[in-house]
Amino acid sequence: MTVAATGTSRTTTIEAHGTFSSLDELVAGVLASRLGPDPASQRIAVAFTTRQAVRHAGRGTGYRNEVLSLRLAEAVGSCAVEPGALPYSAVEDCAGSDVARLLQHPLPPVRVAALDAYLMHVAPHAAQTGARPVALPAGTSLEKSRARAKAVVELLDLPTGATVLVVGVVNSLLEELRSRGLSYVPCDLKGGLTEWGEAVVTDALAEAGRCDALLVSGMTLGNGTFEPLRRHALAHGRQLVMFAQTGSAVLPHLLGHGVSAVCAEPYPFFWLDGGPGTVHRYGGPCPEGGR
């Protein structure tokens, strides 16, 4: 497919989703200008972090999020980090820097956010890139969380009673899996307990072998745990469905190479606003009305 690269006067040939077999290969393709203009010519205008603490009404547990976001022209790319883990100097370092430099930054979340911003800029979520938009209705934070969870879980194609490894515990996702008669193994590097008192494991690969599918947060891109999970899914023929605020524009490029489906949610995320929103689904089953 071809798109007119924003900010340039030429038409750039964009590699189709599924062309790249790993995250490293995708980065190399961007650096070689295979997907759009030379990333050295593209500068990040704004860098910022978004921090939140959440405790939904009626829920007994809460959580915190921190996200690094980079603005490239009209696009925003993001990578979630553990709260407090990102030095503020990283934000200052990103503003005004070119994308090629940031793709080689020593901090993985900076590299992921820069890659996401570039890909959102050259190939935003749209029908011509294979995206199927799903509207999220206006509502409370919990209502929107549940609507997002439904859009994500519909991408799994599993019989009742199957077991899903959930990497990046989101209680609304677990709730939706329970409602569909699916079992799950909750996994998160922070450990702890789910809303229902279930122990959260911390080693995803140690549990993956006993699960029928993997439901994985895009945050794994930034903490280095994504590629081992992708390789496991590919080697064992398991579904790998990604729910992606981090790297929403990155993961669709890995479809067919371990990634079976993506629910992509670019900035601003559902928890930032009570109004209607949109997520974009790639791959997976397409139920009636799923566009």
Side-chain angles (χ1 to χ4, degrees):
M1 62 182 169
T2 60
V3 300
T6 304
T8 72
S9 59
R10 63 191 180 90
T11 297
T12 303
T13 299
I14 304 298
E15 300 284 353
H17 288 157
T19 299
F20 301 96
S21 62
S22 69
L23 184 60
D24 285 347
E25 188 177 306
L26 175 57
V27 172
V30 170
L31 288 170
S33 304
R34 287 177 58 189
L35 290 96
D38 183 354
S41 71
Q42 306 296 300
R43 293 193 173 273
I44 298 300
V46 179
F48 60 98
T49 58
T50 307
R51 297 180 182 180
Q52 69 149 348
V54 179
R55 188 177 291 273
H56 295 304
R59 287 271 172 85
T61 59
Y63 59 91
R64 294 171 57 212
N65 278 335
E66 184 172 345
V67 181
L68 170 67
S69 297
L70 304 180
R71 178 77 178 267
L72 175 62
E74 79 298 336
V76 176
S78 298
C79 182
V81 298
E82 290 298 328
L86 188 73
Y88 189 77
S89 59
V91 177
E92 294 182 327
D93 192 34
C94 291
S97 293
D98 66 80
V99 171
R101 174 178 172 271
L102 296 182
L103 288 176
Q104 301 170 80
H105 196 278
L107 295 176
V110 171
R111 299 198 296 269
V112 171
L115 180 63
D116 195 35
Y118 179 87
L119 294 173
M120 277 291 295
H121 176 51
V122 300
H125 302 298
Q128 58 264 38
T129 62
R132 306 190 306 274
V134 178
L136 300 184
T140 67
S141 59
L142 182 54
E143 288 168 342
K144 294 191 72 174
S145 178
R146 284 171 167 161
R148 197 273 299 251
K150 184 175 185 292
V152 171
V153 172
E154 283 180 344
L155 289 172
L156 289 166
D157 187 10
L158 294 170
T160 300
T163 300
V164 181
L165 177 66
V166 182
V167 182
V169 172
V170 177
N171 284 318
S172 290
L173 289 176
L174 304 185
E175 181 181 54
E176 184 67 22
L177 291 169
R178 293 163 70 96
S179 76
R180 294 169 181 265
L182 295 171
S183 300
Y184 55 79
V185 177
C187 180
D188 199 292
L189 291 176
K190 295 186 291 293
L193 300 173
T194 71
E195 179 74 13
W196 299 272
E198 301 148 329
V200 176
V201 302
T202 58
D203 188 339
L205 276 179
E207 305 294 334
R210 65 185 181 99
C211 296
D212 302 299
L214 289 71
L215 186 60
V216 178
S217 166
M219 189 176 178
T220 55
L221 287 169
N223 65 23
T225 59
F226 166 73
E227 275 293 308
L229 292 169
R230 183 192 65 78
R231 290 193 295 267
H232 174 90
L234 188 62
H236 296 278
R238 296 289 187 264
Q239 294 173 57
L240 172 56
V241 173
M242 303 295 302
F243 54 100
Q245 293 177 344
T246 293
S248 79
V250 174
L251 289 161
H253 288 275
L254 300 174
L255 286 167
H257 297 279
V259 177
S260 56
V262 179
C263 185
E265 184 182 0
Y267 192 94
F269 313 127
F270 78 86
W271 39 266
L272 283 167
D273 187 89
T278 305
V279 295
H280 307 271
R281 297 194 293 197
Y282 297 80
C286 185
E288 185 178 354
R291 276 195 60 81

